[in-house]
Amino acid sequence: MALNLQSTVKLNNGVELPRLGLGVFRAPRGQVTRQAVLSALSAGYRHIDTARIYGNERDVGAAVRESGLPREDIFVTTKLWNEDQGYDSTLRACERSLKDLGLEYVDLYLVHWPVPGRRLDSWRAMEKLLAEGKCRAIGVSNFLEHHLDQLLAHAQVVPAVNQVEQHPFLYQPSLLRYCADKGIAVEAYSPLTKGLRLGDPRVVEMARRHGKSPAQVLIRWCLQHELVVIPKSVHEERIRENASVFDFSLSSEDMQRLDGMNEDLYTGWDPTDVP
């Protein structure tokens, strides 16, 4: 079946996660974030990704309410920040996020970073929050294979999602295969390399050939690797452009060429050396 803006992936607990969402990392607090979320929802997005550390949960929640859409139609993700990790502090952090969002539950709650010595206690708390209905699914972010190995050895619930940086310049097929084998959906953040590689002549040429923008090529690459993808923008025209990726496809040759561009480029956090 052809992908479209309403396409979802079924998580390992049966929850449906929209394949394309809006990220609000570093989106300014206040009207800018609120308007970005409203623009995305108006354009047909139904997936919004925020985090405690972004400082804009209140604005995301306000936009969700202002949109007039039924709450159950909007998939909202937020994340547990590092300083809040630990069992009791995770429970408190989730309550704070729900209060700031103005929501009774979040659709996905993620452990933001594999903090050594605390992530297992955090995960136990996440499992409790899931059982209590405070979140519909739980997962992790920035976890590599060795982090997941440790977690899975102790977990009662397999993470539904692993959100990691992923784009052709940071292509980790072994991690993608690992997650697929464990039934963990992979979600790509910073798919546009924070703009650092949008001018790469190979991507520019491919975009020209398809009559698309370099950003649209990078988003489409993620989708064709069966990733969930959350490009960030606060500009309405770019939010709409980022969603206009379902009327073309990359050939197998295009995909192979993009795969071959890997240079292990982390534009944000690199968890490689985190024990």
Side-chain angles (χ1 to χ4, degrees):
M1 184 181 296
L3 293 174
N4 57 53
L5 190 51
Q6 286 70 52
S7 294
T8 62
V9 60
K10 183 176 286 188
L11 302 179
N12 58 22
N13 66 347
V15 169
E16 301 277 350
L17 169 61
R19 291 285 302 275
L20 181 69
L22 176 73
V24 295
F25 173 63
R26 287 184 179 168
R29 298 181 190 186
Q31 185 59 31
V32 172
T33 292
R34 199 149 53 246
Q35 188 56 54
V37 174
L38 285 169
S39 294
L41 294 174
S42 175
Y45 289 68
R46 292 297 180 266
H47 174 189
I48 309 297
D49 181 278
T50 184
R52 179 77 177 162
I53 194 62
Y54 300 170
N56 52 26
E57 288 175 315
R58 291 184 181 183
D59 306 304
V60 168
V64 167
R65 291 187 295 277
E66 189 177 337
S67 73
L69 293 167
R71 167 66 185 95
E72 61 270 19
D73 288 356
I74 305 174
F75 195 102
V76 178
T77 299
T78 195
K79 309 178 192 78
L80 171 72
W81 184 235
N82 302 354
E83 65 189 21
D84 295 323
Q85 287 207 34
Y87 185 81
D88 291 333
S89 50
T90 293
L91 300 178
R92 291 192 296 268
C94 182
E95 292 294 346
R96 285 198 302 271
S97 284
L98 290 175
K99 181 178 179 181
D100 284 349
L101 285 160
L103 302 176
E104 294 183 359
Y105 67 91
V106 289
D107 298 276
L108 178 62
Y109 196 38
L110 301 178
V111 178
H112 210 151
W113 184 258
V115 175
R118 300 171 74 179
R119 55 184 181 251
L120 295 182
D121 286 338
S122 300
W123 190 252
R124 284 195 304 113
M126 301 283 280
E127 292 175 335
K128 177 178 173 63
L129 292 165
L130 178 67
E132 292 177 344
K134 301 293 177 60
C135 34
R136 297 175 63 225
I138 54 175
V140 296
S141 183
N142 298 297
F143 276 53
L144 301 180
E145 289 101 320
H146 63 286
H147 306 126
L148 290 166
D149 278 339
Q150 184 204 38
L151 183 64
L152 291 172
H154 295 84
Q156 300 299 311
V157 176
V158 175
V161 170
N162 185 18
Q163 186 183 112
V164 293
E165 182 171 356
Q166 203 75 192
H167 43 71
F169 304 94
L170 178 59
Y171 176 42
Q172 300 167 297
S174 64
L175 178 61
L176 303 189
R177 286 193 298 269
Y178 178 104
C179 290
D181 289 344
K182 303 296 184 183
I184 302 170
V186 178
E187 190 169 13
Y189 74 76
S190 297
L192 307 182
T193 71
K194 295 190 175 73
L196 293 176
R197 294 293 184 273
L198 288 180
D200 185 288
R202 298 166 294 180
V203 177
V204 170
E205 187 279 328
M206 194 176 296
R208 180 200 57 75
R209 186 156 39 82
H210 285 283
K212 290 292 182 176
S213 70
Q216 289 169 322
V217 166
L218 296 185
I219 293 168
R220 185 71 199 187
W221 176 88
C222 290
L223 291 170
Q224 289 186 215
H225 270 302
E226 301 185 351
L227 304 174
V228 177
V229 58
I230 48 169
K232 177 255 179 169
S233 181
V234 296
H235 303 287
E236 182 173 5
E237 66 276 12
R238 289 182 186 163
I239 289 170
R240 291 183 177 276
E241 175 188 306
N242 291 343
S244 183
V245 291
F246 300 104
D247 57 353
F248 81 109
S249 61
L250 299 169
S251 68
S252 57
E253 293 80 8
D254 290 334
M255 292 295 289
Q256 289 172 9
R257 190 173 187 196
L258 289 164
D259 291 353
M261 295 180 191
N262 178 55
E263 56 186 75
D264 296 326
L265 174 68
Y266 282 95
T267 67
W269 304 318
D270 180 356
T272 304
D273 295 329
V274 176

